[in-house]
Amino acid sequence: MTAPGTAESLAAAAKERFGGLDFVITCAGFTWDVFFHRMTDEQWHAIIDVHLNGTYRVTHEAYKAMRAMAQQEREAGKTPTARKVVTVSSMSSFGNLGQANYAAAKAGIVGLTRAIALEGAMFNILANSVAYGPIDTRLTRPREEQHEQVGESQLGMPAAARAKYLSQIPMGRVGTIDEAVGPLLFLASSHANYVSGALLEVNGAAHIS
Ligand SMILES: NC(=O)c1ccc[n+]([C@@H]2O[C@H](COP(=O)([O-])OP(=O)(O)OC[C@H]3O[C@@H](n4cnc5c(N)ncnc54)[C@H](O)[C@@H]3O)[C@@H](O)[C@H]2O)c1
């Protein structure tokens, strides 16, 4: 997601293999947590680059292709097909300890997605974001029990911090990967053809407290 040309080749491959591009979901990323006073420029830029710039790169290429297809449909006198941009944000976008870089990137993704929703509306391009609470992946599993690393970042949460975090989730548990995928499929599907500019919170009721 950070390499030049990746987003362009993804959009081109979709058009070549499937004859068009109906939806895009941006999901790639990792965390590199540290308290703000210790955060290095490298940590800041790495997380902004993979999450915010990566989402920009992929949605930008996809959006241009979708808009061109919609324009062709309109010129042929047809209503443009509903096409979807779905981005992945986080509960951390509202701010989280040790995640200034990630919180900023995930909040930026929400703004970007809403702007795409507004500009895309007349082309029937719908854009929504999903803000997850803790989902059971290597980003949230106890750090002490796994050895997952991206670059210098040890993935996972310290067990004590994780227990405290989970105690703030009303449902009292992490979400499963299947439970995380469902909302993405809904937003990409025709069941969401009048849902745009939304931030869907998927967090075991944590937004209520
Ligand atoms: N797990 C959670 O609790 C949680 C909560 C909120 C948001 N999210 C978000 O969900 C998304 C998926 O994370 P996950 O929890 O499934 O973690 P994960 O580590 O299982 O999946 C992330 C994927 O992104 C890929 N990736 C990382 N850097 C990349 C790069 N530079 N180029 C291409 N691919 C790259 C990884 O290879 C991996 O397949 C991320 O955007 C994450 O921020 C996760």
Side-chain angles (χ1 to χ4, degrees):
M1 289 302 106
T2 56
T6 301
E8 288 84 344
S9 48
L10 281 174
K15 279 191 279 183
E16 192 184 311
R17 286 171 68 176
F18 305 114
L21 214 167
D22 296 323
F23 68 88
V24 64
I25 299 176
T26 56
C27 193
F30 60 97
T31 46
W32 198 354
D33 299 350
V34 64
F35 282 114
F36 192 44
H37 64 285
R38 285 200 221 123
M39 186 170 285
T40 63
D41 284 358
E42 188 189 359
Q43 284 171 304
W44 173 265
H45 289 299
I47 293 304
I48 296 292
D49 201 27
V50 71
H51 288 282
L52 184 56
N53 297 340
T55 300
Y56 155 70
R57 290 184 192 103
V58 172
T59 57
H60 192 223
E61 288 307 313
Y63 180 82
K64 287 189 289 182
M66 290 176 179
R67 190 181 182 282
M69 288 185 284
Q71 224 154 10
Q72 278 176 4
E73 287 167 341
R74 282 212 311 208
E75 279 160 20
K78 296 182 197 153
T79 302
T81 308
R83 296 187 171 88
K84 312 286 169 55
V85 173
V86 185
T87 60
V88 170
S89 183
S90 167
M91 209 166 128
S92 299
S93 63
F94 300 106
N96 197 20
L97 290 171
Q99 291 197 318
N101 49 2
Y102 185 70
K106 290 301 200 187
I109 287 172
V110 176
L112 167 64
T113 308
R114 288 187 172 149
I116 296 171
L118 290 171
E119 292 191 22
M122 64 185 290
F123 299 99
N124 214 8
I125 299 169
L126 298 93
N128 295 286
S129 198
V130 182
Y132 290 107
I135 304 298
D136 185 27
T137 72
R138 62 185 186 157
L139 298 193
T140 55
R141 289 180 192 134
R143 189 174 292 177
E144 296 82 349
E145 292 172 21
Q146 66 177 3
H147 301 284
E148 293 282 345
Q149 204 163 332
V150 176
E152 290 170 41
S153 175
Q154 294 287 343
L155 302 181
M157 297 177 76
R162 184 176 187 273
K164 192 169 173 209
Y165 187 51
L166 287 185
S167 73
Q168 294 161 4
I169 305 295
M171 285 178 73
R173 64 173 179 86
V174 293
T176 66
I177 290 174
D178 278 350
E179 288 166 340
V181 169
L184 296 177
L185 296 180
F186 161 67
L187 289 171
S189 79
S190 59
H191 295 295
N193 278 3
Y194 197 55
V195 182
S196 196
L199 178 64
L200 179 51
E201 294 182 58
V202 177
N203 58 19
H207 48 275
I208 293 167
S209 49

